[in-house]
Amino acid sequence: MQAKNSNPPDGGYGWIVVVSAFTVMGLTVAVLKTFGLFFVEIQQHFDELASTTSWITSVTIAVFHLGAPVASSLCVQYTHRTVVITGGLLAFSGMALGFFGFNMLWMYATTGFLQGLGISFSWTPAISIVSHYFSKKRALANAIASAGECAFAFTFGPFFQWLISQYGWEGSLLIIGGIQLNICVCGVLMRPLASSCLLEESHCETETPPGNGAPRRDKEDKSPIMHKTFNWMLVRRTEFVLYAIFGILAAMSFFVPPLFLVPLSYSLGIDESWTASLLSILAMVDFGGRLLCGWYANLHVTKTIHLLAMTITLISTSLMLLPLAHNYLSLAIFTGFYGFFFGTTVAIHITVLADVVGMPEFDSALGLFMLIRSTGGFVGPPLAGLIVDMAGDYRAGFYMAGATLVLSAGFLIILDRRQQRKKQGSKIRTKPGKSTLPYPSLHILKHQ
């Protein structure tokens, strides 16, 4: 776990790590995003309601988030590489066992639980190690890595549709599981890198002389990673809590549109082949939105949290307009707007988390953030499914998602206001030339 220097390389082998993370994103989240193609097939096979079938995705999303602190803790104890490889094996197991499709509970346990745990153990360390390898270019690197889910989803839409037509939904799950084994290859390429904060801590413990001037030897043979612990106390920081609430509300919305986009298109009488192209359009504009937003954020023209608040507002607006579509062309246009603004949001929301807590606490913050956000991912799809069942119209799910995102933007504004007040207060306290004593003469006597 040793590194040549304490600063993130901001390039070099870091770009290999970015490519590996790019692929991991594609083999995990892209599969989750295009799972809507299996929704109708599984619903008809088991003859279940939309709300019941949506629990498969709900369990996957919930375990994806709940497993994040476990994945982060394992990264602390072992390495990001080891956890990613484990995640690849779990993801394969979930899809391969889902092939048997005994009943709906079996699908919850395999395609839901095991697949979600595999995604968590792959996604969390992959996005974390990218942030450790980059500092100045962190926003751009995270945007490129996260764009993997879009690039893969662009091809997964028609590819999964073809698999289902050729091998049925059961055989398709088995084939997809085999493809996900490539996550293990990506994990092997993720070379461990000691963070600057760990190296500094190790440097202080091994080289700082005690009172007699002799170097300390009791801990010098230990690896720096041994000094790092998972920080659960971040839940006491108001800034982190506000951002976590934003995450809960955002998660309630983010996974609803991909789940109901396909059924909505079917309800409008759109052919299956055209429906699959909607997911490709969604992935393509999502990809462009991530790269464009990552590039713009890297210029440091706009504060990242301000940029995130703007993109959240725009994505909620597009979700409110999407149900107005009445044919393929209008649905494709509104889907494009939603996908683009979704991409800009995902490109920077992890970067904002790093800005809120700082890199020394980033691994712990990422795990806790995903854990807390899991409540939104767990509740969102079933709640939208219940609303759809009650309204008898898939459009209701999109209205629910848009309204929830509007509420989440409010917490970003509160967080930004708090950070500004805290920063202004810090400047006032540290402003030079100001004496805290009431009389100048006392100030002189104090220094004498």
Side-chain angles (χ1 to χ4, degrees), residues 6 33 44 63 97 107 169-170 199 206 219 236 258 272 313 351 357 373 402 408:
S6 62
K33 288 178 66 175
Q44 292 178 350
V63 176
L97 292 174
M107 299 305 297
W169 67 267
E170 299 99 328
L199 288 174
T206 59
K219 297 182 180 179
R236 295 183 177 181
E272 291 185 1
T313 303
T351 303
V357 301
R373 198 177 75 166
S408 72

Side-chain angles (χ1 to χ4, degrees), residues 286-356:
D286 187 351
F287 181 84
R290 294 182 194 226
L291 294 184
L292 181 61
C293 189
W295 167 80
Y296 180 77
N298 198 60
L299 298 177
H300 303 289
V301 176
T302 306
K303 193 176 178 180
T304 50
I305 193 171
H306 294 168
L307 189 59
L308 181 60
M310 287 188 290
T311 58
I312 286 291
T313 303
L314 291 170
I315 191 176
S316 61
T317 303
S318 63
L319 282 176
M320 291 291 192
L321 294 175
L322 192 145
L324 299 178
H326 58 278
N327 54 35
Y328 174 80
L329 179 59
S330 57
L331 187 60
I333 292 174
F334 287 126
T335 298
F337 280 115
Y338 157 73
F340 180 81
F341 295 128
F342 178 84
T344 59
T345 299
V346 176
I348 58 173
H349 81 288
I350 296 298
T351 303
V352 174
L353 176 63
D355 294 339
V356 170

Side-chain angles (χ1 to χ4, degrees), residues 229-276:
T229 58
F230 193 88
N231 185 9
W232 293 93
M233 293 299 102
L234 283 170
V235 294
R236 295 183 177 181
R237 291 177 55 174
T238 306
E239 291 85 355
F240 175 76
V241 172
L242 287 171
Y243 197 71
I245 295 174
F246 153 75
I248 292 173
L249 296 172
M252 288 181 64
S253 308
F254 282 169
F255 298 99
V256 172
L259 185 62
F260 292 113
L261 182 61
V262 172
L264 175 62
S265 66
Y266 287 163
S267 68
L268 295 175
I270 299 174
D271 186 74
E272 291 185 1
S273 59
W274 288 102
T275 298

Side-chain angles (χ1 to χ4, degrees), residues 9-46:
D10 260 320
Y13 191 81
W15 293 116
I16 302 297
V17 175
V18 169
V19 172
S20 300
F22 178 94
T23 307
V24 170
M25 299 302 109
L27 296 176
T28 54
V29 185
V31 173
L32 180 59
K33 288 178 66 175
T34 52
F35 196 76
L37 290 169
F38 292 87
F39 184 90
V40 175
E41 299 291 333
I42 295 175
Q43 182 182 10
Q44 292 178 350
H45 178 82
F46 292 106

Side-chain angles (χ1 to χ4, degrees), residues 29-279:
V29 185
V31 173
L32 180 59
K33 288 178 66 175
T34 52
F35 196 76
L37 290 169
F38 292 87
F39 184 90
V40 175
E41 299 291 333
I42 295 175
Q43 182 182 10
Q44 292 178 350
H45 178 82
F46 292 106
D47 191 23
E48 296 286 355
L49 296 172
S51 56
T52 304
T53 308
S54 66
W55 275 102
I56 298 176
T57 302
S58 180
V59 171
T60 306
I61 296 168
V63 176
F64 169 29
H65 290 77
L66 289 170
V70 179
S72 295
S73 299
L74 291 174
C75 289
V76 170
Q77 296 298 321
Y78 302 99
T79 62
H80 295 79
R81 170 185 288 168
T82 303
V83 182
V84 171
I85 293 174
T86 304
L89 294 175
L90 287 170
F92 161 74
S93 300
M95 285 296 193
L97 292 174
F99 161 79
F100 296 101
F102 294 129
N103 50 49
M104 192 61 75
L105 288 177
W106 178 263
M107 299 305 297
Y108 294 159
T110 57
T111 310
F113 181 82
L114 283 179
Q115 177 69 194
L117 196 61
I119 293 175
S120 183
F121 278 36
S122 304
W123 185 93
T124 306
I127 204 69
S128 174
I129 197 171
V130 169
S131 294
H132 281 292
Y133 262 90
F134 290 85
S135 177
K136 296 180 181 179
K137 301 177 182 177
R138 185 176 296 142
L140 179 61
N142 278 326
I144 295 174
S146 68
E149 66 180 77
C150 312
F152 279 75
F154 178 77
T155 57
F156 278 175
F159 178 57
F160 287 0
Q161 189 74 61
W162 178 81
L163 284 179
I164 293 172
S165 65
Q166 295 296 316
Y167 303 101
W169 67 267
E170 299 99 328
S172 300
L173 292 181
L174 182 62
I175 295 173
I176 294 169
I179 295 173
Q180 286 182 310
L181 280 174
N182 287 286
I183 295 173
C184 300
V185 179
C186 298
V188 172
L189 295 174
M190 293 180 177
R191 180 190 301 168
L193 175 69
S195 65
S196 59
C197 60
L198 297 180
L199 288 174
E200 288 172 2
E201 183 179 355
S202 176
H203 179 78
C204 293
E205 290 182 344
T206 59
E207 298 185 9
T208 301
N212 61 3
R216 293 171 58 179
R217 298 292 182 182
D218 58 332
K219 297 182 180 179
E220 65 179 358
D221 293 331
K222 291 185 179 181
S223 170
I225 197 66
M226 296 300 293
H227 305 298
K228 187 179 178 184
T229 58
F230 193 88
N231 185 9
W232 293 93
M233 293 299 102
L234 283 170
V235 294
R236 295 183 177 181
R237 291 177 55 174
T238 306
E239 291 85 355
F240 175 76
V241 172
L242 287 171
Y243 197 71
I245 295 174
F246 153 75
I248 292 173
L249 296 172
M252 288 181 64
S253 308
F254 282 169
F255 298 99
V256 172
L259 185 62
F260 292 113
L261 182 61
V262 172
L264 175 62
S265 66
Y266 287 163
S267 68
L268 295 175
I270 299 174
D271 186 74
E272 291 185 1
S273 59
W274 288 102
T275 298
S277 69
L278 286 175
L279 298 179

